[in-house]
Amino acid sequence: MKISLYVIPDLERVSGGPRTRISLFKKIFKKNGNYIYYKKNKLNTLFKKTSIAYVESATNRIALIDIPSLFFLRLRSKKTIVFIRDIYIELFPEEYKTFRSKITYFFNKLSNFYLTLIATSMVFPTEEMGEVFFKKNKFFPKRPFTDLPPGTHDITPNRIPPDFSEKLGILYLGSLGYTNSGYQNFITFAETYKNQYNFFILSGDKDLKEKVTATHIKLGKVPRKAIPQFITDNNIAYAFHTRPRNMYDDITFPIKVFDFLSFQLPFFSERHAPVQKLLGNDYPIFASFENNEEIHRKIKSINPQEYQELLSLLKEIAVNNTYDKRYKKLLEQ
Protein backbone atom coordinates (compact mmCIF):
# COMPACT_ATOMS: atom_id res chain seq x y z
CA MET A 1 0.00 0.00 0.00
CA LYS A 2 1.36 3.40 -0.99
CA ILE A 3 0.95 6.02 1.72
CA SER A 4 2.33 9.55 1.74
CA LEU A 5 2.74 12.35 4.26
CA TYR A 6 1.99 15.96 3.35
CA VAL A 7 3.45 18.51 5.79
CA ILE A 8 1.89 21.97 5.64
CA PRO A 9 4.03 24.00 8.11
CA ASP A 10 7.72 24.83 7.76
CA LEU A 11 9.29 23.08 10.75
CA GLU A 12 11.96 25.78 10.99
CA ARG A 13 9.23 28.26 11.85
CA VAL A 14 7.31 26.22 14.42
CA SER A 15 8.31 24.84 17.80
CA GLY A 16 7.02 22.83 20.71
CA GLY A 17 4.31 20.24 20.22
CA PRO A 18 3.66 20.76 16.47
CA ARG A 19 7.33 20.45 15.60
CA THR A 20 7.77 17.35 17.76
CA ARG A 21 4.69 15.59 16.38
CA ILE A 22 5.46 16.27 12.71
CA SER A 23 9.16 15.44 13.04
CA LEU A 24 8.35 12.07 14.56
CA PHE A 25 5.72 11.27 11.94
CA LYS A 26 8.24 12.20 9.22
CA LYS A 27 10.73 9.79 10.76
CA ILE A 28 8.21 6.92 10.75
CA PHE A 29 6.97 7.59 7.22
CA LYS A 30 10.56 7.70 6.00
CA LYS A 31 11.40 4.46 7.87
CA ASN A 32 8.54 2.75 6.07
CA GLY A 33 9.68 3.95 2.65
CA ASN A 34 6.83 6.42 2.14
CA TYR A 35 6.95 9.65 0.17
CA ILE A 36 6.94 12.95 2.06
CA TYR A 37 5.66 16.20 0.52
CA TYR A 38 7.42 19.05 2.26
CA LYS A 39 8.52 22.55 1.32
CA LYS A 40 9.81 22.72 -2.29
CA ASN A 41 8.49 19.34 -3.49
CA LYS A 42 4.83 19.96 -2.60
CA LEU A 43 3.79 20.39 -6.24
CA ASN A 44 4.94 16.83 -6.89
CA THR A 45 1.42 15.88 -5.80
CA LEU A 46 0.53 16.47 -9.45
CA PHE A 47 2.64 13.51 -10.57
CA LYS A 48 2.39 10.86 -7.84
CA LYS A 49 -0.47 8.50 -7.09
CA THR A 50 -1.02 7.18 -3.58
CA SER A 51 -3.52 4.98 -1.75
CA ILE A 52 -3.57 7.07 1.42
CA ALA A 53 -2.38 10.64 1.81
CA TYR A 54 -2.06 11.96 5.37
CA VAL A 55 -1.93 15.73 5.88
CA GLU A 56 -0.39 17.35 8.97
CA SER A 57 -1.87 20.84 9.13
CA ALA A 58 -0.43 24.03 10.57
CA THR A 59 -1.68 25.70 13.74
CA ASN A 60 -3.05 28.73 11.90
CA ARG A 61 -3.31 28.70 8.10
CA ILE A 62 -2.21 27.06 4.87
CA ALA A 63 0.21 28.80 2.46
CA LEU A 64 -0.51 29.69 -1.16
CA ILE A 65 1.51 26.73 -2.46
CA ASP A 66 -0.70 24.40 -0.43
CA ILE A 67 -3.85 25.34 -2.36
CA PRO A 68 -2.95 23.67 -5.70
CA SER A 69 -0.75 21.03 -4.04
CA LEU A 70 -3.55 19.78 -1.77
CA PHE A 71 -5.99 19.86 -4.68
CA PHE A 72 -3.74 17.58 -6.75
CA LEU A 73 -3.06 15.44 -3.67
CA ARG A 74 -6.79 14.80 -3.36
CA LEU A 75 -7.12 13.99 -7.07
CA ARG A 76 -4.20 11.54 -7.00
CA SER A 77 -5.11 9.78 -3.73
CA LYS A 78 -7.78 7.21 -2.98
CA LYS A 79 -8.02 8.51 0.58
CA THR A 80 -6.96 11.88 1.96
CA ILE A 81 -6.84 12.05 5.76
CA VAL A 82 -6.43 15.54 7.22
CA PHE A 83 -5.30 16.25 10.77
CA ILE A 84 -6.69 19.41 12.41
CA ARG A 85 -4.31 20.45 15.16
CA ASP A 86 -6.56 22.63 17.30
CA ILE A 87 -9.75 24.69 17.27
CA TYR A 88 -8.70 27.54 19.54
CA ILE A 89 -10.40 30.13 17.33
CA GLU A 90 -13.70 28.27 17.62
CA LEU A 91 -13.70 28.29 21.41
CA PHE A 92 -12.20 31.72 22.10
CA PRO A 93 -13.51 34.03 19.33
CA GLU A 94 -13.51 36.93 21.79
CA GLU A 95 -9.71 36.97 21.54
CA TYR A 96 -9.89 37.95 17.86
CA LYS A 97 -11.32 41.45 18.07
CA THR A 98 -8.44 43.59 16.75
CA PHE A 99 -8.04 44.20 13.02
CA ARG A 100 -4.92 42.03 12.77
CA SER A 101 -6.43 39.18 14.78
CA LYS A 102 -9.60 39.31 12.69
CA ILE A 103 -7.44 38.67 9.62
CA THR A 104 -5.85 35.69 11.42
CA TYR A 105 -9.31 34.42 12.33
CA PHE A 106 -10.61 34.76 8.75
CA PHE A 107 -7.68 32.93 7.13
CA ASN A 108 -7.69 30.23 9.78
CA LYS A 109 -11.39 29.60 9.16
CA LEU A 110 -10.87 29.65 5.38
CA SER A 111 -7.94 27.23 5.66
CA ASN A 112 -9.95 24.82 7.79
CA PHE A 113 -12.78 24.93 5.27
CA TYR A 114 -10.42 24.09 2.41
CA LEU A 115 -8.77 21.29 4.41
CA THR A 116 -12.20 19.82 5.13
CA LEU A 117 -13.18 20.16 1.50
CA ILE A 118 -10.22 18.14 0.16
CA ALA A 119 -10.44 15.49 2.90
CA THR A 120 -12.15 12.14 2.58
CA SER A 121 -11.86 11.77 6.36
CA MET A 122 -10.34 13.71 9.23
CA VAL A 123 -8.50 13.15 12.49
CA PHE A 124 -8.18 15.33 15.58
CA PRO A 125 -6.21 15.00 18.84
CA THR A 126 -9.49 13.76 20.37
CA GLU A 127 -12.87 12.73 18.98
CA GLU A 128 -14.43 15.38 21.21
CA MET A 129 -12.50 18.08 19.34
CA GLY A 130 -13.89 16.76 16.05
CA GLU A 131 -17.42 16.95 17.44
CA VAL A 132 -16.94 20.58 18.48
CA PHE A 133 -15.25 21.42 15.15
CA PHE A 134 -18.25 20.35 13.09
CA LYS A 135 -20.73 21.74 15.59
CA LYS A 136 -19.10 25.17 15.32
CA ASN A 137 -18.79 24.94 11.52
CA LYS A 138 -22.20 23.77 10.36
CA PHE A 139 -21.61 25.08 6.81
CA PHE A 140 -18.48 22.91 6.34
CA PRO A 141 -18.85 19.70 4.32
CA LYS A 142 -19.39 16.74 6.66
CA ARG A 143 -16.57 14.21 6.92
CA PRO A 144 -16.12 11.06 9.02
CA PHE A 145 -13.54 11.62 11.74
CA THR A 146 -11.71 9.92 14.57
CA ASP A 147 -8.89 10.69 17.00
CA LEU A 148 -5.14 10.62 16.34
CA PRO A 149 -3.42 11.95 19.49
CA PRO A 150 0.31 12.59 19.83
CA GLY A 151 2.35 9.55 20.78
CA THR A 152 5.18 8.34 22.96
CA HIS A 153 8.71 7.83 21.68
CA ASP A 154 12.20 6.98 22.95
CA ILE A 155 10.60 5.24 25.92
CA THR A 156 12.97 4.95 28.87
CA PRO A 157 13.86 1.22 28.98
CA ASN A 158 14.49 0.87 32.71
CA ARG A 159 13.37 3.82 34.81
CA ILE A 160 15.31 4.00 38.06
CA PRO A 161 12.93 4.86 40.95
CA PRO A 162 13.89 7.76 43.20
CA ASP A 163 15.59 7.30 46.54
CA PHE A 164 12.76 7.80 49.03
CA SER A 165 15.23 8.22 51.88
CA GLU A 166 16.41 11.45 50.23
CA LYS A 167 14.60 14.70 49.46
CA LEU A 168 12.36 14.12 46.45
CA GLY A 169 12.32 16.36 43.40
CA ILE A 170 9.23 17.70 41.60
CA LEU A 171 9.37 18.85 37.97
CA TYR A 172 7.51 21.32 35.78
CA LEU A 173 8.25 20.63 32.11
CA GLY A 174 7.59 22.89 29.13
CA SER A 175 6.58 26.42 28.31
CA LEU A 176 5.04 28.83 30.78
CA GLY A 177 3.76 31.06 27.98
CA TYR A 178 0.38 29.43 27.30
CA THR A 179 -2.39 31.45 28.94
CA ASN A 180 -3.82 28.41 30.72
CA SER A 181 -0.53 26.68 31.52
CA GLY A 182 -1.31 26.98 35.23
CA TYR A 183 2.38 27.24 36.11
CA GLN A 184 1.53 29.56 38.99
CA ASN A 185 0.05 26.52 40.74
CA PHE A 186 3.47 24.88 40.59
CA ILE A 187 5.12 28.02 41.98
CA THR A 188 2.56 28.25 44.79
CA PHE A 189 3.11 24.62 45.76
CA ALA A 190 6.89 25.14 45.61
CA GLU A 191 6.65 28.12 47.93
CA THR A 192 4.51 26.21 50.43
CA TYR A 193 6.66 23.05 50.46
CA LYS A 194 10.12 24.37 49.61
CA ASN A 195 11.56 22.70 52.71
CA GLN A 196 10.10 19.26 51.92
CA TYR A 197 10.97 18.92 48.21
CA ASN A 198 13.36 20.16 45.54
CA PHE A 199 11.71 21.94 42.62
CA PHE A 200 12.78 22.17 38.99
CA ILE A 201 11.50 23.86 35.85
CA LEU A 202 12.82 22.74 32.47
CA SER A 203 11.70 25.14 29.77
CA GLY A 204 12.95 26.78 26.60
CA ASP A 205 11.18 30.07 27.38
CA LYS A 206 13.52 33.00 26.86
CA ASP A 207 11.86 35.00 29.65
CA LEU A 208 11.96 32.15 32.15
CA LYS A 209 14.04 34.04 34.72
CA GLU A 210 11.67 37.01 34.56
CA LYS A 211 8.62 34.80 35.15
CA VAL A 212 10.18 32.74 37.93
CA THR A 213 12.21 34.68 40.47
CA ALA A 214 11.98 32.20 43.36
CA THR A 215 15.49 31.04 44.28
CA HIS A 216 14.25 27.69 45.64
CA ILE A 217 13.15 26.66 42.12
CA LYS A 218 16.01 25.56 39.88
CA LEU A 219 15.60 26.65 36.27
CA GLY A 220 17.15 25.06 33.24
CA LYS A 221 16.88 23.70 29.71
CA VAL A 222 18.22 20.33 28.59
CA PRO A 223 17.74 18.33 25.37
CA ARG A 224 14.84 15.90 25.52
CA LYS A 225 17.19 12.91 25.30
CA ALA A 226 18.94 14.13 28.45
CA ILE A 227 15.78 14.54 30.53
CA PRO A 228 15.63 10.91 31.82
CA GLN A 229 19.16 11.27 33.20
CA PHE A 230 18.25 14.69 34.64
CA ILE A 231 15.32 13.05 36.43
CA THR A 232 17.59 10.39 37.90
CA ASP A 233 20.40 12.77 38.86
CA ASN A 234 18.02 15.08 40.72
CA ASN A 235 15.95 12.36 42.43
CA ILE A 236 12.80 13.62 40.73
CA ALA A 237 9.77 11.55 41.72
CA TYR A 238 6.85 13.50 40.23
CA ALA A 239 5.89 16.07 37.64
CA PHE A 240 3.01 18.55 37.66
CA HIS A 241 0.68 18.93 34.69
CA THR A 242 -0.95 22.11 35.91
CA ARG A 243 -3.40 23.05 33.16
CA PRO A 244 -6.81 23.86 34.70
CA ARG A 245 -10.06 22.33 33.49
CA ASN A 246 -11.68 24.29 30.67
CA MET A 247 -13.51 23.47 27.45
CA TYR A 248 -10.35 23.69 25.32
CA ASP A 249 -7.98 21.70 27.54
CA ASP A 250 -10.65 19.05 28.01
CA ILE A 251 -10.64 18.20 24.29
CA THR A 252 -6.94 18.25 23.47
CA PHE A 253 -3.68 16.54 24.43
CA PRO A 254 -0.53 18.41 25.46
CA ILE A 255 2.67 16.76 24.19
CA LYS A 256 4.14 16.83 27.70
CA VAL A 257 1.66 14.17 28.90
CA PHE A 258 3.18 11.73 26.41
CA ASP A 259 6.67 12.82 27.44
CA PHE A 260 5.86 11.95 31.05
CA LEU A 261 4.66 8.56 29.87
CA SER A 262 7.82 8.05 27.78
CA PHE A 263 9.96 8.95 30.80
CA GLN A 264 7.70 6.92 33.13
CA LEU A 265 7.50 9.94 35.38
CA PRO A 266 4.30 9.92 37.46
CA PHE A 267 2.51 13.24 37.14
CA PHE A 268 -0.22 15.02 39.02
CA SER A 269 -3.04 16.29 36.82
CA GLU A 270 -6.60 17.49 36.94
CA ARG A 271 -9.11 15.02 35.52
CA HIS A 272 -9.01 16.30 31.94
CA ALA A 273 -11.30 14.04 29.92
CA PRO A 274 -8.63 12.90 27.39
CA VAL A 275 -6.02 12.35 30.11
CA GLN A 276 -8.46 10.38 32.24
CA LYS A 277 -9.41 8.24 29.22
CA LEU A 278 -5.72 7.58 28.55
CA LEU A 279 -4.69 6.79 32.14
CA GLY A 280 -7.89 5.19 33.39
CA ASN A 281 -10.30 6.22 36.13
CA ASP A 282 -8.17 4.55 38.80
CA TYR A 283 -5.00 6.54 38.15
CA PRO A 284 -4.02 7.34 41.74
CA ILE A 285 -2.62 10.85 41.45
CA PHE A 286 -5.32 12.84 39.77
CA ALA A 287 -5.54 15.96 41.89
CA SER A 288 -6.92 19.45 42.21
CA PHE A 289 -4.25 22.13 42.29
CA GLU A 290 -6.55 24.13 44.52
CA ASN A 291 -5.81 21.61 47.27
CA ASN A 292 -2.05 21.55 47.83
CA GLU A 293 -2.40 19.73 51.14
CA GLU A 294 -4.04 16.79 49.37
CA ILE A 295 -1.21 16.62 46.80
CA HIS A 296 1.37 16.72 49.59
CA ARG A 297 -0.52 13.98 51.44
CA LYS A 298 -0.59 11.77 48.34
CA ILE A 299 3.14 12.18 47.79
CA LYS A 300 3.85 11.17 51.36
CA SER A 301 1.43 8.23 51.30
CA ILE A 302 2.82 6.44 48.23
CA ASN A 303 5.42 3.88 49.30
CA PRO A 304 8.22 2.47 47.08
CA GLN A 305 6.19 -0.61 46.11
CA GLU A 306 3.17 1.45 45.10
CA TYR A 307 5.47 3.79 43.20
CA GLN A 308 6.95 0.85 41.28
CA GLU A 309 3.44 -0.26 40.37
CA LEU A 310 2.78 3.25 39.09
CA LEU A 311 5.92 3.09 36.92
CA SER A 312 4.77 -0.23 35.46
CA LEU A 313 1.37 1.25 34.64
CA LEU A 314 2.91 4.25 32.88
CA LYS A 315 5.27 2.05 30.86
CA GLU A 316 2.42 -0.17 29.72
CA ILE A 317 0.45 2.89 28.58
CA ALA A 318 3.54 4.32 26.88
CA VAL A 319 4.19 1.13 24.90
CA ASN A 320 0.57 1.07 23.71
CA ASN A 321 0.61 4.69 22.52
CA THR A 322 3.73 5.08 20.36
CA TYR A 323 3.91 7.00 17.09
CA ASP A 324 4.31 3.63 15.37
CA LYS A 325 0.87 2.71 16.74
CA ARG A 326 -0.52 6.01 15.41
CA TYR A 327 0.94 5.23 11.98
CA LYS A 328 -0.71 1.80 11.95
CA LYS A 329 -4.02 3.40 12.83
CA LEU A 330 -3.74 5.57 9.72
CA LEU A 331 -3.33 2.44 7.58
CA GLU A 332 -6.62 1.15 8.99
CA GLN A 333 -8.61 4.27 8.04
Side-chain angles (χ1 to χ4, degrees):
M1 179 185 294
K2 292 184 178 179
I3 179 170
S4 60
L5 169 66
Y6 186 100
V7 179
I8 290 178
D10 182 346
L11 295 186
E12 295 178 1
R13 297 183 178 181
V14 297
S15 59
R19 184 171 185 172
T20 298
R21 178 189 174 105
I22 296 173
S23 297
L24 291 167
F25 266 126
K26 281 183 67 180
K27 184 177 179 181
I28 291 173
F29 272 75
K30 187 176 181 180
K31 180 181 71 174
N32 285 280
N34 303 137
Y35 193 78
I36 299 173
Y37 299 104
Y38 179 57
K39 282 191 174 182
K40 295 181 180 180
N41 73 351
K42 286 183 174 181
L43 285 174
N44 286 351
T45 55
L46 176 62
F47 309 108
K48 292 183 176 292
K49 288 186 177 181
T50 186
S51 298
I52 299 175
Y54 171 59
V55 180
E56 273 279 336
S57 67
T59 302
N60 45 26
R61 68 184 74 173
I62 61 175
L64 289 176
I65 192 175
D66 294 311
I67 298 174
S69 300
L70 288 170
F71 176 76
F72 292 130
L73 183 74
R74 176 65 188 89
L75 287 181
R76 306 287 283 176
S77 305
K78 292 181 180 179
K79 296 180 181 179
T80 305
I81 305 170
V82 173
F83 172 69
I84 298 296
R85 189 169 306 283
D86 67 51
I87 55 170
Y88 194 85
I89 66 166
E90 315 293 353
L91 298 179
F92 301 101
E94 68 278 2
E95 295 187 16
Y96 297 86
K97 298 297 184 182
T98 66
F99 178 74
R100 186 172 180 177
S101 62
K102 284 181 179 179
I103 293 175
T104 298
Y105 181 91
F106 173 77
F107 280 107
N108 188 305
K109 183 76 77 171
L110 193 62
S111 294
N112 283 345
F113 175 80
Y114 187 70
L115 289 168
T116 307
L117 189 66
I118 62 97
T120 57
S121 63
M122 303 177 75
V123 289
F124 298 82
T126 65
E127 289 188 4
E128 291 78 8
M129 183 183 289
E131 292 171 1
V132 175
F133 178 83
F134 284 107
K135 184 178 180 181
K136 296 285 186 179
N137 296 291
K138 296 183 184 300
F139 62 92
F140 280 24
K142 300 302 179 185
R143 297 289 185 260
F145 63 89
T146 187
D147 63 321
L148 194 74
T152 56
H153 66 102
D154 296 328
I155 299 171
T156 303
N158 295 298
R159 166 73 202 282
I160 301 174
D163 183 349
F164 286 89
S165 66
E166 300 289 334
K167 200 172 184 181
L168 298 178
I170 300 177
L171 174 68
Y172 179 96
L173 179 65
S175 176
L176 284 63
Y178 173 50
T179 304
N180 291 316
S181 67
Y183 77 90
Q184 285 291 350
N185 292 322
F186 179 83
I187 292 176
T188 299
F189 187 91
E191 177 61 34
T192 304
Y193 296 101
K194 59 186 176 184
N195 295 324
Q196 283 90 344
Y197 310 106
N198 292 320
F199 293 92
F200 304 86
I201 294 179
L202 293 181
S203 173
D205 290 358
K206 294 180 179 179
D207 60 347
L208 184 60
K209 291 183 179 179
E210 285 72 35
K211 288 179 178 175
V212 184
T213 58
T215 57
H216 55 275
I217 301 177
K218 298 179 183 178
L219 311 178
K221 177 185 177 183
V222 300
R224 186 191 182 280
K225 289 184 178 181
I227 293 177
Q229 191 59 50
F230 183 90
I231 291 171
T232 299
D233 292 344
N234 291 283
N235 206 39
I236 293 173
Y238 298 98
F240 278 14
H241 172 235
T242 54
R243 288 191 183 189
R245 295 288 302 276
N246 58 62
M247 188 173 184
Y248 179 73
D249 286 300
D250 257 7
I251 60 172
T252 192
F253 266 124
I255 288 284
K256 71 174 69 177
V257 165
F258 292 91
D259 283 334
F260 295 147
L261 290 172
S262 298
F263 304 146
Q264 290 138 68
L265 179 61
F267 61 98
F268 284 88
S269 173
E270 301 273 359
R271 287 182 179 270
H272 297 278
V275 177
Q276 184 166 326
K277 183 178 179 181
L278 179 70
L279 300 178
N281 293 330
D282 296 330
Y283 182 67
I285 55 174
F286 282 122
S288 169
F289 290 101
E290 294 181 359
N291 190 344
N292 287 335
E293 289 184 7
E294 177 66 10
I295 295 174
H296 173 61
R297 186 195 66 76
K298 286 189 175 185
I299 294 174
K300 291 298 184 184
S301 67
I302 294 176
N303 60 45
Q305 181 179 344
E306 291 170 329
Y307 190 89
Q308 186 59 56
E309 292 172 355
L310 193 50
L311 296 188
S312 298
L313 171 66
L314 295 183
K315 186 168 186 177
E316 180 182 355
I317 296 172
V319 169
N320 289 325
N321 287 274
T322 62
Y323 275 97
D324 282 298
K325 299 280 189 180
R326 305 294 187 241
Y327 175 82
K328 291 177 182 177
K329 185 174 182 177
L330 284 173
L331 298 180
E332 297 168 357
Q333 297 299 304

